Amino acid sequence: MSNNKPYHSDLLLLIKACKEAGEIAMEYYTGHYETQLKPEAGHSPVTDADMAVDAYLKDTLTQARPSYGWLSEETFDDKERLDKSHVWIVDPIDGTRSFMKQNDMFAISAALVVNGKPEVAVVYNPAKQELMSTMRGAGVSYNETHIKAKELVPFEQATCLASTSEMKRGLWNSLKENLTVVPISSIAYKLAILSVGRMDMMASLRPKSEWDLAAGHLLVEEAGLKITDLSGHDIIYNQKRVTRNGVIVAHPDHFDQLQSFVMGSDK
């Protein structure tokens, strides 16, 4: 990536921090850790690994950039971030349930958002040693090597990524009649592998939070894909209310058709 971009130093900082955080995560991956359930988040699990990665990233990133705000799934939400133009938005381990099962479909997701838009993004899967990174206008890099955007395939040949839990709930039953659907748990990892061309499109039918989406958002945009919430609205970050009603991602030529399927499905 060109080093004359305004946030190049932030990108280098974020890549280094996420790699080091990945080493922390992997120390827990096959070892012993405690797990708790978060009553405020539908009793979703949080592990010692989530908290250790979160603490490391917060300390590293906020000490390096003390004027930037902070928003993370595992940190108390200090609303002072709303007054900041630059905010780190982090999910220390997206796909905690996969992590707990020693399933390698999880990732560390981190982005720098500036005035509501992601400008720098890293999604790192330490179990697979896959690092997808970008800054606005630079295209997507896989393990720090720039890659070309995936060529468009006909809609009927496209593969669509979906949430494993949504598929288990039957939310994709009608959609599977029209789409080839592949389930993966971590939305950050789904967005990241879309950006490197392994699949063609994605949708999430349930609410998602800013930390789920921010890094992957920029990655898929830099790959030439369109991303909105389920209703087709642009996703703006560092908002008081951090949840969105879902997400749709596809090539611009396929986006309207995918949205029509998704919004017309029996959810």
Side-chain angles (χ1 to χ4, degrees), residues 186-247:
S186 164
I187 187 168
Y189 190 58
K190 285 196 284 284
L191 290 165
I193 63 175
L194 265 186
S195 76
V196 296
R198 292 190 198 158
M199 300 291 172
D200 302 292
M201 56 185 65
M202 191 204 82
S204 179
L205 312 180
R206 303 294 294 169
K208 296 299 174 186
S209 299
E210 290 190 12
W211 47 75
D212 298 317
L213 303 173
H217 182 141
L218 183 58
L219 284 167
V220 296
E221 280 194 336
E222 287 298 313
L225 304 178
K226 180 178 178 179
I227 176 171
T228 72
D229 70 11
L230 281 187
S231 305
H233 299 134
D234 290 341
I235 303 171
I236 307 300
Y237 294 88
N238 194 31
Q239 301 297 297
K240 185 175 182 179
R241 185 173 182 271
V242 299
T243 56
R244 306 293 180 268
N245 66 354
V247 65

